[in-house]
Amino acid sequence: EDQVTQSPEALRLQEGESSSLNCSYTVSGLRGLFWYRQDPGKGPEFLFTLYSAGEEKEKERLKATLTKKESFLHITAPKPEDSATYLCAVQVRTGGFKTIFGAGTRLFVKA
Amino acid sequence: GAGVSQTPSNKVTEKGKYVELRCDPISGHTALYWYRQSLGQGPEFLIYFQGTGAADDSGLPNDRFFAVRPEGSVSTLKIQRTERGDSAVYLCASSQLVPGELFFGEGSRLTVL
């Protein structure tokens, strides 16, 4: 069964304290791995797509990396406005293409 | 419209009632997804449309749930005989590219009393 597991469930950082979020996956027919950000009361907002092991993407203080079994979202010198839930998702080929989400990591950055 | 639009934003109903939730995707997006999200959880896949047809409905929890997309644009998620356990935020997303990133609406919060 296709599965996506994110850790930790919650992460509390001081402003400027860099860290990483983990997403491990067990899927057949991976077509892409995605990271989304979700603010309270909002729908998820797309951040990155990764398609193959070794690929990296960067945007401001965020960098996403991908291996054959997991992905990391590295946050460098976070600010309070980075506080949100970060969701990892994999797109798998079934009859069409299905996107399966992990439970998310809730990030709190304190000033 | 500029983004994915979902209506209603909030729906309170009584156990046993019928509910319809509407999703208007980004113009030109051929793929449309429905998800359900409970508090503290990630979005749970329900159904995915490619055009007018359901490409994958394996996430629909039971036969009380049904979704349509008759003209390949607007979609309606229909829930019959609602139960308290159906309470959640129902998210709709659309995508132009498959595979590709999803663009989400703000969700419809369903509360079943």
Side-chain angles (χ1 to χ4, degrees), chain A:
Chain A
E1 183 182 348
D2 299 324
Q3 199 162 12
V4 180
T5 304
Q6 291 189 247
S7 62
E9 290 185 9
L11 181 61
R12 297 179 184 276
L13 300 174
Q14 287 292 128
E15 184 172 4
E17 180 186 1
S18 301
S19 189
S20 295
L21 282 55
N22 176 263
C23 171
S24 62
Y25 59 91
T26 306
V27 299
S28 54
L30 178 72
R31 288 298 177 262
L33 185 140
F34 301 83
W35 283 96
Y36 289 83
R37 169 187 170 132
Q38 188 173 27
D39 292 298
K42 304 288 187 181
E45 179 183 349
F46 169 74
L47 293 172
F48 301 109
T49 309
L50 301 165
Y51 288 109
S52 56
E55 191 174 357
E56 298 184 354
K57 294 275 179 72
E58 278 191 74
K59 180 180 179 180
E60 296 180 353
R61 295 177 292 281
L62 300 176
K63 183 168 83 171
T65 61
L66 180 65
T67 72
K68 289 186 178 180
K69 297 281 188 182
E70 59 191 351
S71 176
F72 291 93
L73 184 65
H74 307 278
I75 303 176
T76 302
K79 298 182 177 182
E81 53 261 43
D82 294 323
S83 298
T85 295
Y86 290 86
L87 295 163
C88 172
V90 294
Q91 200 160 59
V92 297
R93 176 119 196 189
T94 55
F97 288 92
K98 182 166 74 174
T99 301
I100 302 166
F101 283 80
T105 293
R106 290 180 293 286
L107 175 66
F108 306 91
V109 182
K110 186 175 179 182

Side-chain angles (χ1 to χ4, degrees), chain B residues 22-66:
Chain B
R22 175 189 166 107
C23 174
D24 201 339
I26 294 172
S27 178
H29 282 195
T30 58
L32 185 145
Y33 299 76
W34 282 100
Y35 288 85
R36 178 169 70 176
Q37 188 172 30
S38 301
L39 193 64
Q41 301 296 314
E44 173 193 5
F45 172 79
L46 296 177
I47 186 170
Y48 149 58
F49 288 91
Q50 183 63 41
T52 60
D56 189 330
D57 64 358
S58 61
L60 294 177
N62 51 59
D63 60 7
R64 295 188 296 107
F65 288 75
F66 189 71

